[in-house]
């Protein structure tokens, strides 16, 4: 194969079947409308099409590196230790891969396929070094492919190896440098992290949702894969990509559910929240609850052993995660949020002022509560604060007046 001219924006040689299909799909979508666009618009479409194909070829490259008997062995060992075996029954190879421990392995590979520097930068696959050269964005990391809602690879999130994090921290802490556990592709013309949920566009996850699976919102990609494996078709994991949950994320989930036959969307299907039980996780759960309540969704909570997360639970006791998922509908997230709201006042609950403050903090999670949840919520506040139910009901009714005062 001859090396193509360096500045073409699209590949001129045969690439993988995946990227060829992507280019075909995009061409069909654009259709004859391109003829009516300006030259700049056509160039933008061409660049986006080439970037999409480059990401598909990158996913195939990472998959081959993971399968390589020598190169991918460390990554396979880490995945196996977490019971995430890369096969069609658990995590298909096009979802998981390995970015090798080299400065420009992916860059050099994609250049031989005919991609220009402009395309690879637009795809978010490479970055500029301090010397100005282009190097791979992801190096010595386990990669997880992010798909758009059409099931096409558009970006990656990648996890560093624990020993690399520790070694880099030891070397770089004095200089203020640390290695992030997860590294995401930057926002590109193909995707925006505040709009795309990891795994939601994955074809097998979308198929499971079409068959009635309940979505489970988790913190990271490994947690999402663990939930999908443990869910056995009844639950699937999805995760924000290194950012807080947004209304756009929920809109995308709503769209997928409606397109796969759930006319009532999230409110009909339901959702389980499985954020970590630390302070950051509890704050994220509260934010998620607020966004979900605005859509008429009252989520359940995945309850695990103290300090555990879905990935660790799956690795240590798969049946425990499967069982916790099956029982999630018995644990409305509202209950934990009420407990969290009351907790700061617990040590002073003998004071009337603290009782009132605790009740008012808790009833924020009882406004507009559906009939099947309101009784249990009131009882939880009563037991946590020691006040009577009539006082809690009065505070619920008076809460809008206090907010508007």
């Amino acid at each position: 194969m001859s090396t193509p001219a360096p500045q073409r924006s699209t590949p001129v040689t045969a690439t993988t079947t995946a990227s060829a299909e992507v280019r075909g799909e995009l061409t069909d979508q654009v259709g004859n409308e391109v003829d009516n666009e300006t030259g700049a618009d056509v160039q933008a479409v061409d660049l986006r099409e080439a970037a999409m194909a480059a990401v598909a070829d990158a996913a195939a490259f990472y998959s081959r590196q993971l399968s390589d008997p020598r190169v991918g062995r460390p990554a396979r060992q880490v995945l196996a230790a977490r019971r995430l075996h890369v096969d069609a029954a658990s995590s298909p190879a096009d979802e998981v891969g390995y970015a090798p421990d080299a400065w420009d392995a992916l860059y050099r590979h994609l250049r031989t396929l005919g991609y220009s520097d402009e395309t690879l930068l637009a795809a978010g696959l490479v970055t500029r070094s301090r010397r100005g050269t282009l190097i791979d964005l992801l190096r010595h990391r386990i990669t997880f492919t992010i798909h758009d809602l059409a099931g096409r690879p558009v970006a990656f999130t990648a996890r560093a190896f624990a020993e690399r994090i520790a070694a880099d921290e030891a070397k770089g802490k004095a200089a203020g440098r640390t290695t992030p556990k997860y590294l995401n592709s930057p926002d590109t013309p193909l995707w925006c992290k505040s709009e795309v949920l990891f795994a939601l566009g994955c074809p097998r996850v979308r198929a499971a949702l079409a068959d009635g699976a309940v979505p489970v919102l988790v913190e990271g990609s490994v947690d999402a894969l663990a939930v999908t494996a443990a869910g056995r078709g009844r639950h699937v994991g999805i995760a924000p990509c290194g950012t807080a949950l947004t209304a756009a994320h929920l809109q995308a989930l709503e769209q997928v559910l409606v397109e796969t036959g759930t006319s009532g969307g999230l409110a009909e299907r339901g959702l389980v929240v499985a954020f970590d039980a630390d302070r950051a996780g509890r704050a994220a759960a509260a934010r998620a609850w607020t966004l979900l309540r605005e859509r008429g969704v009252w989520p359940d909570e995945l309850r695990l052993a103290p300090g555990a997360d879905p990935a660790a639970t799956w690795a240590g006791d798969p049946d425990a995660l499967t069982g916790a998922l099956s029982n999630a509908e018995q644990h409305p997230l509202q209950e934990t949020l009420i407990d969290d709201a009351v907790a700061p006042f617990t040590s002073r609950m003998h004071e009337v002022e603290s009782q009132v403050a605790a009740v008012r903090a808790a009833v924020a999670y009882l406004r507009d509560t559906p009939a099947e949840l309101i009784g249990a919520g009131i009882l939880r506040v009563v037991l946590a604060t020691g006040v009577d139910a009539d006082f809690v009901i009065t505070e619920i009714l008076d809460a809008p007046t206090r907010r508007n005062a």
Side-chain angles (χ1 to χ4, degrees), residues 135-167:
I135 58 175
D136 296 351
L137 176 69
L138 305 178
R139 302 182 300 278
H140 192 43
R141 287 176 176 269
I142 298 173
T143 64
F144 304 94
T145 306
I146 300 168
H147 301 78
D148 66 10
L149 295 189
R152 300 168 300 198
V154 291
F156 299 94
T157 182
R159 193 184 193 281
F161 289 76
E163 65 272 16
R164 175 60 61 87
I165 295 174

Side-chain angles (χ1 to χ4, degrees), residues 102-394:
W103 287 104
D104 60 355
L106 177 66
Y107 173 70
R108 287 185 286 105
H109 169 71
L110 293 179
R111 286 290 286 162
T112 65
L113 295 182
Y115 294 100
S116 70
D117 288 356
E118 179 189 20
T119 295
L120 300 182
L121 285 165
L125 298 171
V126 299
T127 187
R128 290 201 180 276
S129 69
R130 279 178 282 186
R131 295 185 299 171
T133 57
L134 290 182
I135 58 175
D136 296 351
L137 176 69
L138 305 178
R139 302 182 300 278
H140 192 43
R141 287 176 176 269
I142 298 173
T143 64
F144 304 94
T145 306
I146 300 168
H147 301 78
D148 66 10
L149 295 189
R152 300 168 300 198
V154 291
F156 299 94
T157 182
R159 193 184 193 281
F161 289 76
E163 65 272 16
R164 175 60 61 87
I165 295 174
D168 288 353
E169 284 183 348
K171 291 187 298 183
K173 188 172 293 184
R177 295 192 302 270
T178 58
T179 297
K181 179 182 291 187
Y182 282 94
L183 186 61
N184 298 323
S185 299
D187 285 357
T188 70
L190 306 179
W191 89 299
C192 175
K193 67 180 180 181
S194 64
E195 299 174 358
V196 177
L197 288 166
F198 172 76
L200 180 59
C202 172
R204 70 192 181 103
V205 168
R206 188 177 176 114
L209 290 171
D211 288 339
V214 175
V216 180
L217 187 64
V218 298
E219 290 197 6
S221 51
V222 177
D223 288 327
L225 293 177
V227 164
T228 299
R232 300 175 182 175
R234 295 187 292 272
H235 295 86
V236 290
I238 54 177
C241 299
T243 187
L245 185 72
T246 67
H249 288 145
L250 294 179
Q251 181 58 40
L253 177 55
E254 195 90 55
Q255 177 183 332
V256 169
L257 290 174
V258 171
E259 289 177 355
T260 53
T262 304
S263 59
L266 266 176
E268 177 182 337
R269 180 67 59 88
L271 180 108
V272 176
V273 173
F275 290 147
D276 292 349
D278 57 15
R279 180 178 297 180
R282 297 261 51 89
R287 288 194 299 270
W289 187 86
T290 299
L291 289 172
L292 289 162
R293 188 186 64 185
E294 292 172 355
R295 307 185 77 90
V297 181
W298 299 85
D300 297 318
E301 181 183 29
L302 181 68
R303 294 189 180 176
L304 302 172
D309 59 32
T313 304
W314 173 247
D317 187 353
D319 290 340
L321 182 56
T322 299
L325 288 167
S326 298
N327 293 327
E329 65 181 15
Q330 300 175 24
H331 304 295
L333 177 61
Q334 181 186 48
E335 294 180 353
T336 296
L337 296 178
I338 289 172
D339 293 346
D340 290 346
V342 170
F345 306 97
T346 301
S347 63
R348 306 190 308 276
M349 206 62 77
H350 58 282
E351 301 171 358
V352 174
E353 294 84 354
S354 293
Q355 283 184 312
V356 172
V359 170
R360 289 180 175 175
V363 299
Y365 298 104
L366 291 175
R367 295 196 310 271
D368 305 319
T369 300
E372 63 269 22
L373 293 176
I374 187 66
I378 292 172
L379 178 60
R380 201 165 191 92
V381 177
V382 168
L383 294 176
T385 62
V387 305
D388 58 48
D390 288 342
F391 181 74
V392 177
I393 294 170
T394 300

